[in-house]
Amino acid sequence: MSAPASRFALYDPFARMQFGTPDCFLCGAALNLATDTVPVFADWLMERYGLAAQPIQMLDQSTSTFAETRIPCCDDCRARHIEPLEARVAQATEASPENLRELDSQILFLWLGKMFYGIFVNELAREKAPLIMPRYPLSENRPLFTRFRSFFQVLQALRVPMRYDDFTPASVFLLDVANEPGDPAFAYDDDLATMVFSIRLGNVAVVSCLLDNAIIADVMQRVQADVQNRPLHPVQLAEFKARVYYGAYLFNAVPEYFPRPMKPGDEQLVLDTFLDDITGVVFNPWNNAAYGQALESLWQPWRIGLADILRDPAQPLSYLYDRDGQPLVVNTFPLA
């Protein structure tokens, strides 16, 4: 039987691959899976946006619903850590989703990270009896598990009083969106392999690479500055997301985290970090053809094909910038 971790002890489910077992995802306490779970997408989120019965497509091509997508969690972690986090986000966004900007950066990271990790655990559970075995099973992807093991260390700030010393685990972008008529009030997408998660509440989108020590945010400073304080057309949001997704795909380093030894009287565990296997370059070379494929995937709703995107192979099509590299305002699509 697993025992709950102490206040400052970090739990490591990756050591014995404890996924889909009756153990709390956050502390490792033994559970009854029939009753001891929490929703990946919080009850308040499902109620506010009418998500409970909506389908979620899994990697094995099976379908779940938002309400069915849950993760094992003990009563103590649920009551002391998960519910207070969700209540804080729910309260902050009750009047307007724009108030996500008022949340502490660690709170926002933990809220996104809890959903992202919950999706990962659910996908692993599906692979035990898949409808159709994914072409690239998560359970066989050892580099992915290495990344998630690092990610889970910083995610444990959900339970352990923790401070990140002079670093931020993730790149997080908050963007205003001018939704088109008929667009749903809620949307999300993710890519487990690149650790990217995106969620939109009304007219505010959050796009994040959850394990890059904010390096992607650093290299995208100019793009981020150009899109701040003005609503993006959804086709522009899709392009911004493509840049983050492709940047995360090119990111070739794995952050590692190390807790400092605790001293008497310490009230927080302090984590230090460095990036593994760095030889001076943390990104693989940019390739316009590969970026164009990422862009084509996210531009599917507008039927913009790869041939149009790469009409000029040296300068892929953009709706964030004009041909001279100046920020582009898009009010309607197609452009008048």
Side-chain angles (χ1 to χ4, degrees):
M1 176 180 295
S2 299
S6 68
R7 186 182 182 209
F8 295 108
L10 297 181
Y11 168 54
D12 184 7
F14 294 83
R16 292 188 292 133
M17 305 300 284
Q18 292 170 262
F19 307 103
T21 59
D23 299 310
C24 176
F25 88 96
L26 199 50
C27 73
L31 304 175
N32 178 354
L33 285 182
T35 57
D36 297 332
T37 63
V38 294
V40 171
F41 296 90
D43 288 331
W44 70 267
L45 200 59
M46 290 190 286
E47 291 169 6
R48 187 178 295 178
Y49 294 100
L51 303 176
Q54 291 191 22
I56 295 178
Q57 186 79 38
M58 310 301 286
L59 291 176
D60 72 342
Q61 303 305 307
S62 65
T63 300
S64 184
T65 67
F66 280 84
E68 293 168 342
T69 309
R70 305 181 69 86
I71 189 169
C73 187
C74 69
D75 286 342
D76 186 61
C77 284
R78 174 184 54 77
R80 294 180 57 196
H81 308 303
I82 301 300
E83 289 181 348
L85 170 73
E86 293 291 355
R88 186 166 178 181
V89 180
Q91 183 178 16
T93 58
E94 186 173 10
S96 169
E98 293 178 2
N99 291 334
L100 282 170
R101 290 186 173 86
E102 305 303 318
L103 291 172
D104 175 85
S105 61
Q106 188 182 63
I107 293 295
L108 189 56
F109 165 71
L110 295 176
W111 180 63
L112 299 171
K114 171 249 181 180
M115 291 183 282
F116 186 73
Y117 187 74
I119 293 166
F120 170 70
V121 171
N122 274 266
E123 292 285 13
L124 285 177
R126 293 285 173 137
E127 285 190 359
K128 293 182 177 180
L131 178 65
I132 299 173
M133 178 58 74
R135 184 177 179 184
Y136 303 107
L138 299 178
S139 56
E140 299 176 9
N141 189 332
R142 309 321 299 173
L144 178 69
F145 275 79
T146 298
R147 290 194 291 274
F148 265 91
R149 191 173 194 174
S150 286
F151 167 66
F152 191 73
Q153 282 186 281
V154 285
L155 184 64
Q156 284 180 83
L158 278 167
R159 177 184 62 84
V160 176
M162 183 183 295
R163 177 170 63 84
Y164 314 131
D165 186 62
D166 199 29
F167 73 94
T168 301
S171 293
V172 180
F173 306 93
L174 284 92
L175 308 167
D176 294 321
V177 187
N179 294 316
E180 296 182 303
D183 282 349
F186 172 91
Y188 95 93
D189 55 75
D190 63 80
D191 185 77
L192 297 176
T194 58
M195 311 290 291
V196 175
F197 183 79
S198 172
I199 189 168
R200 181 173 56 77
L201 308 183
N203 63 344
V204 174
V206 187
V207 184
S208 178
C209 179
L210 290 161
L211 191 74
D212 71 337
N213 282 4
I215 290 175
I216 291 175
D218 186 55
V219 300
M220 287 187 61
Q221 284 186 51
R222 185 224 164 173
V223 181
Q224 185 176 16
D226 287 340
V227 301
Q228 290 300 310
N229 303 316
R230 64 183 178 93
L232 297 178
H233 187 280
V235 76
Q236 294 179 299
L237 172 63
E239 180 180 338
F240 188 95
K241 287 163 60 174
R243 291 171 183 246
V244 176
Y245 274 75
Y246 186 60
Y249 171 75
L250 296 180
F251 187 67
N252 62 21
V254 179
E256 293 192 43
Y257 304 104
F258 300 93
R260 291 182 185 175
M262 298 291 295
K263 301 187 296 295
D266 283 352
E267 293 297 323
Q268 286 184 314
L269 183 68
V270 179
L271 288 192
D272 291 305
T273 186
F274 74 84
L275 296 180
D276 189 24
D277 296 329
I278 289 184
T279 58
V281 178
V282 297
F283 291 98
N284 292 325
W286 182 281
N287 181 284
N288 280 342
Y291 166 67
Q293 291 176 344
L295 195 52
E296 180 187 32
S297 176
L298 287 165
W299 272 351
Q300 283 182 0
W302 298 274
R303 297 185 175 90
I304 305 172
L306 190 61
D308 290 323
I309 292 170
L310 295 177
R311 194 174 302 279
D312 178 355
Q315 189 171 352
L317 180 65
S318 174
Y319 289 107
L320 287 173
Y321 294 98
D322 63 21
R323 296 289 298 179
D324 296 323
Q326 297 304 306
L328 188 62
V329 174
V330 176
N331 294 318
T332 60
F333 187 88
L335 300 184

